[in-house]
Amino acid sequence: MQFDDDAGLDTSEVQDARGSRIPGGGLAVGGGAAGLVVLLIALFLGVGPEQLGLSSDGSSSSAGTAPGAGASAGTDEKCRTGRDANTREDCRIVAVVNSVQHFWEAEYQRRGERYTKARTRLFTGRTDTACGSATSAVGPFYCPADQQAYMDLGFFEELRTKFGASGGPFAQAYVVAHEYGHHVQHLMGTLARSQDGRQGPDSNAVKVELQADCYAGVWAHHATTTPAGSTGRPLLTKLTDEDITDGLDAAAAVGDDRIQERFQGRVTPESWTHGSAAQRQEWFRTGYAAGDVARCDTFR
């Protein structure tokens, strides 16, 4: 994947809080692209968030940098243009966030509606959110209470080494786009359907995750043609078949069956909350091939 070297990046959409703590509160909810199978199962079963690296009240991590105290200095100073995104991982995340939100702004405008932007917060080790205090162990996730996506960049290496994905820049882009799929679901009122306590291949939890995969595919379909408001040109200029293969490989690597087989040695479909490797690939392909949000109705 390649970004427009001369395009400016909007770093206000990504807060670089690596090394800092941001206070929050409330119950842990949401859904992520990967290791959150365990997290969501536990939440559905009533396990306390503190047992998974999330505190239930967000008050346990009050030490550290105060909000805004240099938290975004990294990406603000280093991620200025698409050229930076082509050479730095953190800047690439900024560019993908920008591109994904360019698409959703355009899609909402086409529908005569207004898209509400979400921010992404980069952190290292631990962070506080409006959904509780989270560690890197839970993987990337979206918190509807503060409408932000959270990710420790170290996860992308774990995606390759622990989950067996081939890696690559678009594998990272897929994860980001999936989390923003959850944001769109929150805006549409469908994200809460995953909180009904059910599990299994036909559960709402799985359907919500598969829809977020489909939304990620829809973005990928339009990514190289959606213009950025600042330049009138697409921020993402090149997306190859190899990139899409990397995205599909990442989707498969975080399928419930793959994760269960790898970490518990057996597959138990009755406890699925994200969908199988085949399902996740199928719905990403559906979105990518059609480029139509209406084709992402996983609840039908």
Side-chain angles (χ1 to χ4, degrees), residues 1 3 95-96 99-101 103-104 170 173-174 177 214-224 226 236 239 284 287-288 291:
M1 60 188 295
F3 295 96
V96 172
S99 176
V100 169
Q101 298 209 106
F103 166 70
W104 286 112
F170 193 77
Y174 154 74
C214 187
Y215 286 167
V218 172
W219 161 73
H221 177 97
H222 295 282
T224 59
T226 301
L236 185 61
L239 197 59
F284 179 86
Y288 181 64

Side-chain angles (χ1 to χ4, degrees), residues 36-143:
L36 292 186
V37 172
V38 175
L39 170 64
L40 290 180
I41 288 174
L43 291 178
F44 288 148
L45 294 177
V47 175
E50 66 277 3
Q51 295 176 252
L52 298 158
L54 296 178
S55 72
S56 59
D57 62 7
S59 63
S60 64
S61 298
S62 58
T65 306
S72 59
T75 53
D76 275 357
E77 293 178 357
K78 298 173 182 176
C79 303
R80 299 293 190 180
T81 68
R83 184 176 289 103
D84 299 322
N86 288 324
T87 58
R88 290 179 56 94
E89 181 183 55
D90 51 359
C91 299
R92 181 162 60 241
I93 299 302
V94 174
V96 172
V97 168
N98 289 173
S99 176
V100 169
Q101 298 209 106
H102 292 158
F103 166 70
W104 286 112
E105 281 187 304
E107 175 65 17
Y108 269 64
Q109 185 175 19
R110 185 182 68 81
R111 295 164 172 251
E113 302 173 4
R114 184 176 180 273
Y115 171 72
T116 301
K117 287 186 176 183
R119 297 180 78 190
T120 286
R121 184 177 296 164
L122 306 181
F123 70 96
T124 302
R126 188 180 188 91
T127 189
D128 289 344
T129 82
C131 295
S133 179
T135 71
S136 301
V138 303
F141 63 96
Y142 170 77
C143 173

